[in-house]
Amino acid sequence: MSKSMSSGQQVLIELRKMIISGEIPGGARVAEIPTAEMLGVSRQPVRMAFRLLEQEGLLLKNPTRGYTVREISPKLIQDALEVRGVLEGLAAKKLAEKGLNTQQQDQLMQCITQIDPIFKKTELSNEDIETYHHYNTIFHNTIIQGSDNVAIVQALSKNNQLPLASAQALTYDKNNPLSEFRRLHHAHIQHCAIFNALKNRDSARAESLMREHSHVVTLGDMMRSIFNSDLPS
């Protein structure tokens, strides 16, 4: 890992990707020092990443020392994303019915305008990925908190403990930069459509778009499976 990948957020994204892809397999024991050496970083960002990955349900803390990688199935990820879509869709519906206040509208618009410039290139840098992650998290939290529904907030908090269920659980596969660029750009376009539905108080469309948006996590894998499949002769 290069020095440009030494920030805590980038270490977290890299480790998350390695676990989800199976590069670090389920059942494997991981510890700070060998992981830091493998990534070429200090122990501190690895320690922080381990704690966050435990909260996301990707790591299980051992009784003595270190962590064990959780066994993750595609079904578990799909189930968690489906529940997230239902809950975030409901949040968007509630917010659209109430209507955006000035602060919410400004905050969502800022997220869109801050993210948009990173897609004027053909490949995302580490800094671009951090920018996307930062404003993507704010975008989702604004809608969730804007629903003014404690039950939705608490249910999402519980569901976020499952693999890839949280909007903060961003992955980026540097081995597939084109499909990852397309995936995140598609998500950005969805943000624009969601914002427009919220602004127009179109609750049905806001809910539908938000539910569909939850599946952008697996869009890259879906695209690769289509293009890598054996086509009929």
Side-chain angles (χ1 to χ4, degrees):
M1 180 177 290
S2 65
K3 289 183 179 179
S4 63
M5 271 293 286
S6 62
S7 84
Q9 190 57 245
Q10 289 161 356
V11 169
L12 174 63
I13 291 171
E14 181 68 10
L15 284 173
R16 186 187 290 123
K17 186 267 296 182
M18 294 174 77
I19 293 171
I20 294 297
S21 68
E23 190 174 345
I24 303 177
R29 293 173 66 91
V30 292
E32 287 178 20
I33 295 176
T35 303
E37 291 174 349
M38 175 184 68
L39 298 177
V41 298
S42 68
R43 292 174 62 181
Q44 183 177 3
V46 173
R47 184 181 304 121
M48 293 174 60
F50 279 179
R51 289 172 182 167
L52 290 170
L53 291 170
E54 181 190 8
Q55 292 175 17
E56 293 175 18
L58 292 177
L59 292 180
L60 304 173
K61 192 169 181 60
N62 296 331
T64 52
R65 181 180 296 182
Y67 295 83
T68 299
V69 177
R70 181 176 183 172
E71 298 280 357
I72 302 166
S73 68
K75 183 180 184 303
L76 177 61
I77 293 173
Q78 287 293 342
D79 287 350
L81 290 175
E82 185 176 12
V83 171
R84 170 184 158 187
V86 170
L87 292 171
E88 288 197 343
L90 181 58
K93 176 186 176 184
K94 294 294 183 184
L95 180 55
E97 288 173 348
K98 290 195 309 173
L100 294 171
N101 61 35
T102 302
Q103 181 183 5
Q104 290 163 343
Q105 182 164 321
D106 289 348
Q107 203 159 33
L108 293 173
M109 190 63 195
Q110 182 192 29
C111 292
I112 290 170
T113 55
Q114 290 296 323
I115 287 176
D116 192 66
I118 74 176
F119 294 110
K120 293 181 179 178
K121 300 174 292 182
T122 55
E123 192 169 330
L124 302 181
S125 67
N126 294 327
E127 290 71 25
D128 292 333
I129 297 166
E130 287 206 355
T131 296
Y132 179 89
H133 178 274
H134 176 73
Y135 288 104
N136 178 62
T137 301
I138 294 173
F139 186 91
H140 283 259
N141 285 344
T142 300
I143 293 172
I144 293 164
Q145 296 298 328
S147 71
D148 196 27
N149 187 309
V150 175
I152 293 175
V153 174
Q154 290 188 353
L156 273 168
S157 177
K158 188 70 174 176
N159 194 61
N160 285 347
Q161 296 171 20
L162 294 171
L164 292 187
S166 169
Q168 296 188 53
L170 178 68
T171 60
Y172 188 83
D173 185 356
K174 291 185 175 294
N175 295 322
N176 294 282
L178 178 58
S179 63
E180 290 293 77
F181 180 94
R182 288 171 170 171
R183 179 174 69 87
L184 294 184
H185 189 221
H186 180 71
H188 172 58
I189 293 170
Q190 288 181 322
H191 281 179
C192 295
I194 291 165
F195 172 69
N196 194 56
L198 290 170
K199 191 171 68 170
N200 292 330
R201 303 189 70 167
D202 188 341
S203 60
R205 181 161 173 76
E207 180 177 21
S208 175
L209 287 166
M210 202 68 178
R211 289 183 70 157
E212 176 63 24
H213 181 57
S214 68
H215 293 282
V216 79
V217 172
T218 57
L219 183 62
D221 289 336
M222 182 270 287
M223 289 170 61
R224 287 190 288 274
S225 70
I226 290 173
F227 290 112
N228 293 334
S229 62
D230 294 329
L231 297 176
S233 55

